[in-house]
Amino acid sequence: MPGANRYRSHNLVLLSFFSLTCLFQTSCGDTGEQRTSFKMAVSAPDDMGTDFENDLGWKVVLDSASVVIGPIYFFSGEPLFSMSRLLDWLDPIPTAFAHPGHYVAGEALGQVLDQARIDLLSEMPQVLGTATGVTGLYNSARVYLKPAGDDTYSVLVTGTATKDQDHVSFKGELDVEIKLEGLPCGIHVEPGKAGGMVMFVDPRIWLKRVDFSTLAGPDQDGYMFFEKGTSNHSAFSRGVDNAGAFSFSWK
Amino acid sequence: MLPKTSMVTLNINLVLFVLLMPVGRGETKTVSNSTPPVLKKFVKAEYPRSAVQDKVEGTVILELHVDKEGKVSRAIVIESVRDDVDRAAIEAARRFRFQPAMVKGIPVGSVVRYESSFVLPRDNKQTGERKKQRKKKTIGYGKAEAAGNTGKPKPGSDSDSIAEFTQVVKGRRPPRAASDWRIEVSGRLDPGTVSPGRLLAMAPGLHVAQHGGVGKAQRIFLRGFDAVHGQDLEINVEGIPVNEVSNIHAHGYADLNYLIPEVISSMRVIEGAYDPRQGDFAVAGSVWIDLGLKHRGLTAKAGGGSFGRARALIAWGPRGEPDATFAAAEYARGDGFGPARSWNRAAAIGQYVLKISPGTNLKLLATSYTGRFASAGVVKEEDYDNGIQGFYDTYDPHQGGLSVRHQAMAAVEHESNGSRAELAFHAGYRELRLRHDFTGFIFEYRPIDNPKERGRHLGDLTEQYQEGLTLGGYGSYAKEVRFRGGTYALEAGFRFRHDRADQSQKRLRAVDQEPYWDEIEAKLAVTDIGLYLDAEARPSSWLRIRGGVRFDTLSYIVNEPMEYYGKGNRRDAQGVHIGPKATLEFVPGHGLSVFLCYGNGFRSPYGIALSQGERTPFVTVHAGELGLRWRLGDWLDVSAAGFFTHVAEDLVFDHATGRYLYSGATSRAGTTVSAKLRPLDWLYAFLSGSYAYSVLDETGKLLPYTVPITFRAGMGVKRNLTVLWGHELSISARLIADVIGPRPLPYSEETNTVFLLSADFGLTWGDLELSAEAFNLLDTKWRDDEFAYVSNFHNNQETPSLVPDRHFTAGRPITIMAYLTWHVF
């Protein structure tokens, strides 16, 4: 196979040689990327514990954190906020973008069409399904969180929040479809690469800006909840919608 | 009994060093110490009995190699009629004796071309008229007839007993390259050529696919180019361009379905861009199709076969007129080999050649065609694998189209001593409506200005419509001069065409096929004026030098009235392209010719993609070729060529969106080989193969969708069996194998190799002919075309697949047709 990265017309002799060589082979060269498939798993971040403190000083202990994920798509388009943008900021030699500030997904390179409920407090990554696609740089991802099957929610989190003398048993639940666009991925999927992709979902970010003292409730199960239309529901929704809660790694 | 002659006219022209253009009336001028060969002994050819009984007429063109003793050392068939007729012409020609050509008083070898015409006898009156006519100039390129010996027909004889034999000299354009093919089509149609576009596949290395139904232009592949529907292959019929500039469906769209296969007499296919006459779209090559009807008199043909196919043809070639004068009409229909594949068409073609003065002919041509067809579209490979979709199924039965073409041409040709001029004008009306759905529910547009349809999934069914008018013409003047023992020829010519087109593209709702979004609305006016200069020098018997230049100016006016909120957007652009061409031909003898060629060709830009004031960005191709042709006697004819092409800024067609995308520079290299073998009088064989290696310069990666390997081999028999009730019974049969090698697809995939076996069979008895043809004898399930793109045919909005998948269009299963032909009179 000709390995030329750059090809110029003056390489007539080279091309002719390769063409003659290839004449006697059933297959010679390729058209670029290759089809591939790999396992896709979902997990909470490695440093995830069951307790943490949010921005408003609430100490939160999670009893459960579930999310219904899928499908997931991977694109060639650069995400809005990625490490490369950060590097661009640190190294401010201007880079031209036709429409800075607008995410352009570009070509779809991979996808996981399965949907599954993922327990984020599980100690092991849970397999979402098999991703299919083509090799290349998966720059960004589109992730859907939406109710499916018996799961009437897309995101469900329960736990206890403590601040000073206040102890709140809470339940956060979203029953709508959430489309997360342009999530930074930055993984180069290569043919025959061992391992699979893991998507980390950090439920701590969902509750980062929640003031648990103003939750509604309790409901029939005794949980205080995020009433739609309230600032806390909005803070929870924005937390779920926060791209920072999602990251990708190849393991 | 076969009386040999009625009229014989002979003129031998020294074509010693001039094959580019016709030469004069057989003068034997002495120029610069050189003299051409002069015929001293003429031998009349015998009209083969079998040809008379078959009522076969035609003209054999021979290239005679005259040695320095004046003997014919070799006779090469340049244009064939059929085996027995060719042999008769050769046998006679080999017995000619010449006074050899002389240079500075020394005898030298020379090459002479002459034409041997076999014409069946008429009644006395007709024959007399023909004799008068033959004393005038004949028609067609390069013909130069001379007065000569005139035989006399047997008074009162009929066509079974008297043969008329004429010989005239004819100069044809010599090949510009080893891969400059002239293919005689008449009577040699391939099985399955009920679709005329498939005729193109008779050229070595040229592959066509039919992914849009019988009635849509074929997808063409040649020399590593995916010419889509014609963007890289220039096609002319009797000099009229077929490619449609900036057609809404595909640039250079070349719909040949308006042609009736039986009236196609020959094709010249040049692979490469080495001839200055080649213009727009001549990137991979050019095709010139000549029309003519060999059988004189009235012919009726009807037949039918698999999948409801039926076809009726009536053709008339007035006796006493040249093959180029004829009229024909056909009607054909079929149910198709699966859902959404029915079609029907009607076509009529008439051409008349009128001799208006000695050496001057007027040619009039008119064609009319309408065809309607359904199209099954694609099948997603995954759906077929999972049993969701059958191999011949369709997702959307509303695909298809209607195609209309009417055109007329008037041409005047004049030949005089050593010069030739032609002038032609043509006009054509074209209408095309296509509906296709390659994607299902991917690109559907949800109108925000119609609340009722907001959020609904309306589908990707797309309607494309084009209505256009083409006016054009061409002219040329050719002249030869002789200088210092060499012969030099010069031809200057022009071609122009002006196209006006209204085009639109709409999305249609899946539920009721009503339009819900106007994607494109455009009016185009495109003018192309091309000038060319072509020269040839033959300074010695072993060297021919040809070269020239083509200069084109293209202008565009594009009006998109829907743009800018209905205020419209009008823009214009103009640019020029200059394309030099050159060919060196070495003729070392022993039937061998070696060609070294270079050519610069171009493709015009796609109209609606142009910006205001843009210098029209031509796609420029540089093509080079080294090839040889070798003819060994009458039983072996071989050609082989290695080629290289470079395209500066190539365009690739995205079938899913119907848009062109720039791919950057591309290069191709490969080879084409062709051989014809005739080991026995009644047995012949042929094979051709091509290999093309096509890459993107930027990455060195293979170009997807090209056809790297084609291979065709076949053999046939044709012989007389017996005489039955006073009429000869003859049989012909042929078997053809086609192989299409693995084609590269995106993502380093490739298609499966396709192997197809076809056959035809004919039984002729007197004026009746029974023929049958079978396509895909092994009933292979084969993919005629394959694509990789994103689709969503099942309207899955929950988890739609966004990664490109493989799709295919199903190839035709075994198809058998049978015809009965009656040469009425």
Side-chain angles (χ1 to χ4, degrees):
Chain A
M1 165 195 163
N5 292 323
R6 302 286 297 175
Y7 195 84
R8 290 291 177 255
S9 60
H10 62 257
N11 287 354
L12 167 62
V13 175
L14 193 64
L15 185 69
S16 302
F17 172 76
F18 282 129
S19 65
L20 288 173
T21 305
C22 293
L23 180 59
F24 302 102
Q25 300 181 13
T26 55
S27 176
C28 189
D30 59 66
T31 53
E33 308 302 346
Q34 299 176 24
R35 290 199 186 272
T36 188
S37 64
F38 52 86
K39 290 291 181 190
M40 182 79 206
V42 182
S43 170
D46 293 341
D47 62 348
M48 175 80 183
T50 55
D51 60 314
F52 61 94
E53 183 174 320
N54 77 358
D55 288 357
L56 303 181
W58 288 88
K59 290 183 179 174
V60 181
V61 177
L62 294 179
D63 298 328
S64 70
S66 297
V67 61
V68 181
I69 294 182
I72 299 175
Y73 300 97
F74 299 99
F75 294 92
S76 60
E78 197 172 356
L80 276 178
F81 303 102
S82 67
M83 186 58 75
S84 62
R85 289 294 180 90
L86 176 62
L87 293 174
D88 287 346
W89 181 78
L90 294 171
D91 180 12
I93 298 173
T95 302
F97 289 93
H99 300 286
H102 294 267
Y103 167 68
V104 179
E107 189 180 355
L109 300 175
Q111 62 190 16
V112 187
L113 299 182
D114 303 295
Q115 290 177 292
R117 179 167 57 83
I118 302 294
D119 178 6
L120 294 175
L121 300 186
S122 170
E123 292 183 357
M124 297 293 291
Q126 295 175 58
V127 174
L128 175 64
T130 300
T132 58
V134 296
T135 56
L137 179 56
Y138 288 25
N139 254 324
S140 56
R142 176 190 299 164
V143 175
Y144 286 89
L145 312 178
K146 54 184 176 183
D150 295 334
D151 299 312
T152 57
Y153 59 87
S154 51
V155 171
L156 177 65
V157 59
T158 60
T160 306
T162 305
K163 184 177 180 183
D164 301 329
Q165 302 304 313
D166 292 338
H167 297 273
V168 178
S169 290
F170 68 89
K171 178 181 181 182
E173 182 177 359
L174 296 177
D175 58 2
V176 295
E177 175 182 313
I178 299 165
K179 177 183 176 185
L180 295 146
E181 189 82 77
L183 301 179
C185 180
I187 293 176
H188 205 139
V189 177
E190 298 167 3
K193 192 175 183 180
M197 193 183 293
V198 180
M199 182 174 75
F200 296 105
V201 183
D202 191 345
R204 293 173 295 186
I205 294 179
W206 301 348
L207 304 169
K208 199 174 177 182
R209 301 290 300 169
V210 172
D211 181 0
F212 291 92
S213 64
T214 58
L215 298 184
D219 64 8
Q220 58 189 8
D221 297 323
Y223 289 113
M224 306 297 284
F225 59 92
F226 300 87
E227 188 172 21
K228 288 180 181 175
T230 64
S231 59
N232 273 313
H233 185 272
S234 177
F236 178 53
S237 298
R238 283 201 299 272
V240 173
D241 209 22
N242 189 335
F246 300 86
S247 61
F248 296 85
S249 177
W250 189 273
K251 288 193 171 181
Chain B
M1 292 297 97
L2 296 175
K4 309 297 188 302
T5 70
S6 57
M7 178 177 75
V8 176
T9 58
L10 169 69
N11 181 16
I12 300 299
N13 275 299
L14 176 66
V15 201
L16 179 56
F17 310 118
V18 181
L19 292 178
L20 169 70
M21 52 171 294
V23 289
R25 185 184 275 266
E27 311 83 351
T28 55
K29 293 178 181 176
T30 301
V31 180
S32 303
N33 296 325
S34 69
T35 57
V38 177
L39 184 68
K40 292 296 182 186
K41 178 188 175 187
F42 170 71
V43 177
K44 289 175 286 189
E46 293 191 21
Y47 211 128
R49 179 195 181 96
S50 55
V52 171
Q53 292 194 340
D54 292 347
K55 295 188 178 177
V56 171
E57 298 180 322
T59 300
V60 181
I61 298 176
L62 297 177
E63 184 177 279
L64 306 181
H65 291 240
V66 182
D67 64 19
K68 56 188 178 184
E69 295 177 354
K71 296 177 182 175
V72 177
S73 58
R74 295 181 62 227
I76 299 172
V77 177
I78 304 301
E79 287 193 17
S80 164
V81 173
R82 71 176 204 180
D83 298 357
D84 50 356
V85 180
D86 295 352
R87 280 198 304 277
I90 289 172
E91 285 168 8
R94 281 185 178 277
R95 293 156 61 194
F96 289 179
R97 287 296 179 271
F98 290 84
Q99 175 182 308
M102 310 283 279
V103 176
K104 295 180 180 178
I106 302 172
V108 295
S110 59
V111 179
V112 173
R113 286 194 168 211
Y114 93 101
E115 175 183 296
S116 180
S117 294
F118 293 77
V119 182
L120 290 168
R122 321 292 172 219
D123 57 38
N124 290 338
K125 185 179 176 183
Q126 286 177 323
T127 310
E129 287 173 352
R130 287 183 61 81
K131 278 194 278 185
K132 288 177 187 173
Q133 288 169 354
R134 287 214 169 79
K135 289 180 180 176
K136 302 174 182 178
K137 295 282 185 181
T138 55
I139 51 127
Y141 179 82
K143 291 183 179 175
E145 183 187 15
N149 303 324
T150 303
K152 294 179 180 177
K154 182 183 285 183
S157 59
D158 58 26
S159 59
D160 288 335
S161 59
I162 292 181
E164 182 182 75
F165 176 57
T166 65
Q167 289 174 331
V168 291
V169 172
K170 192 178 193 179
R172 285 272 182 161
R173 289 191 179 103
R176 306 290 297 209
S179 51
D180 183 353
W181 323 94
R182 180 168 289 279
I183 301 164
E184 295 302 314
V185 177
S186 293
R188 292 203 296 155
L189 300 179
D190 275 4
T193 48
V194 70
S195 172
R198 287 200 175 268
L199 282 172
L200 295 175
M202 294 173 75
L206 200 153
H207 173 65
V208 297
Q210 180 59 283
H211 65 237
V214 180
K216 186 179 175 183
Q218 277 78 13
R219 189 180 180 190
I220 302 168
F221 304 88
L222 178 64
R223 289 204 157 185
F225 285 93
D226 173 5
V228 197
H229 294 295
Q231 68 164 8
D232 295 323
L233 186 68
E234 175 196 28
I235 301 177
N236 295 281
V237 174
E238 289 289 348
I240 305 173
V242 179
N243 304 80
E244 295 170 40
V245 177
S246 297
N247 179 285
I248 183 71
H249 182 66
H251 195 29
Y253 189 86
D255 183 355
L256 288 171
N257 291 294
Y258 74 100
L259 292 177
I260 299 172
E262 283 80 357
V263 300
I264 297 175
S265 63
S266 67
M267 289 194 304
R268 180 192 174 203
V269 180
I270 178 168
E271 301 180 2
Y274 313 121
D275 193 325
R277 294 159 193 80
Q278 292 178 272
D280 195 5
F281 305 112
V283 176
S286 299
V287 177
W288 288 273
I289 295 174
D290 292 329
L291 302 179
L293 182 68
K294 276 203 181 295
H295 281 290
R296 301 286 86 189
L298 183 67
T299 299
K301 182 177 182 179
S306 310
F307 312 116
R309 283 187 174 226
R311 184 164 177 261
L313 165 79
I314 188 160
W316 179 50
R319 294 192 183 276
E321 299 292 341
D323 291 356
T325 293
F326 67 88
E330 74 157 351
Y331 177 80
R333 55 93 63 205
D335 296 330
F337 51 89
R341 285 181 173 87
S342 59
W343 56 275
N344 66 353
R345 70 163 182 263
I349 302 178
Q351 183 169 267
Y352 184 61
V353 177
L354 176 68
K355 298 177 198 289
I356 53 180
S357 70
T360 305
N361 305 305
L362 172 66
K363 183 194 287 185
L364 302 172
L365 170 68
T367 74
S368 185
Y369 160 75
T370 181
R372 188 164 184 270
F373 56 96
S375 174
V378 298
V379 172
K380 194 172 182 175
E381 196 75 55
E382 184 182 20
D383 286 350
Y384 173 61
D385 291 342
N386 294 331
I388 297 171
Q389 196 79 352
F391 194 78
Y392 300 108
D393 281 354
T394 181
Y395 294 106
D396 189 340
H398 304 106
Q399 302 173 83
L402 179 79
S403 181
V404 171
R405 181 190 289 264
H406 309 291
Q407 61 186 23
M409 182 187 78
V412 177
E413 300 166 333
H414 176 74
E415 293 176 9
S416 62
N417 205 3
S419 67
R420 179 177 176 275
E422 63 178 348
L423 186 63
F425 296 96
H426 56 82
Y429 172 79
R430 180 85 176 103
E431 198 167 13
L432 176 70
R433 181 176 184 244
L434 288 175
R435 282 162 295 131
H436 56 80
D437 184 354
F438 279 101
T439 50
F441 293 84
I442 289 288
F443 297 107
E444 53 177 341
Y445 180 79
R446 300 167 193 181
I448 57 174
D449 56 347
N450 186 347
K452 290 181 180 176
E453 295 187 327
R454 189 177 302 159
R456 292 174 58 188
H457 303 297
L458 300 171
D460 296 342
L461 182 63
T462 302
E463 178 200 79
Q464 294 177 317
Y465 177 76
Q466 170 123 356
E467 182 181 24
L469 185 68
T470 300
L471 302 172
Y474 59 88
S476 65
Y477 178 76
K479 180 76 178 172
E480 73 159 353
V481 293
R482 294 175 182 169
F483 179 69
R484 291 190 176 180
T487 305
Y488 304 88
L490 198 63
E491 180 173 327
F494 72 92
R495 280 185 161 273
F496 75 92
R497 65 182 289 181
H498 176 75
D499 292 88
R500 306 189 74 83
D502 287 349
Q503 53 186 220
S504 65
Q505 179 168 308
K506 300 173 186 290
R507 295 282 182 184
L508 307 182
R509 289 188 302 212
V511 62
D512 57 5
Q513 297 81 56
E514 291 298 324
Y516 66 87
W517 182 36
D518 294 317
E519 282 187 289
I520 298 172
E521 190 80 47
K523 295 176 184 291
L524 289 97
V526 184
T527 301
D528 178 1
I529 300 174
L531 309 172
Y532 70 87
L533 196 63
D534 190 20
E536 174 173 328
R538 302 185 66 178
S540 74
S541 60
W542 56 271
L543 178 64
R544 299 168 186 169
I545 305 168
R546 303 183 195 102
V549 65
R550 170 94 182 201
F551 181 92
D552 279 85
T553 302
L554 270 82
S555 70
Y556 289 77
I557 295 178
V558 182
N559 181 14
E560 294 186 87
M562 303 279 288
E563 290 292 294
Y564 293 98
Y565 310 102
K567 296 183 187 301
N569 175 262
R570 184 176 284 118
R571 50 199 189 273
D572 59 79
Q574 184 163 307
V576 299
H577 176 267
I578 301 173
K581 327 269 185 176
T583 296
L584 284 178
E585 181 184 356
F586 303 94
V587 190
H590 306 290
L592 183 66
S593 291
V594 179
F595 295 84
L596 181 62
C597 316
Y598 166 78
N600 179 313
F602 76 98
R603 185 203 308 136
S604 57
Y606 197 49
I608 58 175
L610 287 169
S611 303
Q612 166 60 31
E614 197 168 4
R615 293 178 61 186
T616 52
F618 295 96
V619 171
T620 302
V621 60
H622 298 274
E625 179 177 306
L626 176 63
L628 61 86
R629 283 187 163 184
W630 182 42
R631 187 174 179 109
L632 189 60
D634 300 324
W635 62 277
L636 182 64
D637 190 354
V638 177
S639 68
F643 64 87
F644 172 79
T645 57
H646 175 73
V647 180
E649 186 69 36
D650 212 348
L651 276 180
V652 294
F653 185 69
D654 182 359
H655 290 267
T657 59
R659 300 292 174 86
Y660 282 91
L661 306 170
Y662 280 100
S663 64
T666 59
S667 295
R668 295 160 180 83
T671 185
T672 305
V673 179
S674 171
K676 296 174 189 171
L677 188 68
R678 187 178 294 163
L680 299 171
D681 290 345
W682 50 272
L683 178 68
Y684 62 94
F686 53 91
L687 67 87
S688 65
S690 69
Y691 174 76
Y693 183 70
S694 315
V695 294
L696 277 166
D697 287 9
E698 184 73 18
T699 61
K701 299 295 184 185
L702 292 179
L703 273 170
Y705 298 122
T706 58
V707 175
I709 297 171
T710 65
F711 179 78
R712 164 174 277 207
M715 61 183 300
V717 296
K718 192 171 189 179
R719 65 183 310 173
N720 299 326
L721 296 178
T722 183
V723 175
L724 192 63
W725 296 311
H727 297 286
E728 193 157 81
L729 183 67
S730 62
I731 188 173
S732 65
R734 193 169 50 154
L735 190 67
I736 300 173
D738 281 297
V739 177
I740 310 300
R743 298 167 47 196
L745 293 174
Y747 316 116
S748 304
E749 294 182 308
E750 60 184 25
T751 65
N752 293 324
T753 297
V754 174
F755 176 77
L756 295 173
L757 205 58
S758 305
D760 56 34
F761 171 82
L763 202 59
T764 304
W765 180 64
D767 292 330
L768 294 176
E769 182 180 332
L770 180 65
S771 58
E773 58 182 41
F775 176 79
N776 189 6
L777 268 174
L778 303 178
D779 201 18
T780 306
K781 270 190 177 178
W782 61 289
R783 289 154 175 79
D784 193 11
D785 217 342
E786 295 196 51
F787 314 90
Y789 56 77
V790 182
S791 67
N792 182 10
F793 287 107
H794 303 294
N795 198 9
N796 174 3
Q797 299 300 330
E798 286 297 308
T799 57
S801 172
L802 300 185
V803 171
D805 287 298
R806 281 176 68 164
H807 303 76
F808 67 87
T809 53
R812 190 146 48 97
I814 183 169
T815 307
I816 297 173
M817 293 284 293
Y819 290 105
L820 182 64
T821 303
W822 180 28
H823 300 299
V824 183
F825 60 80

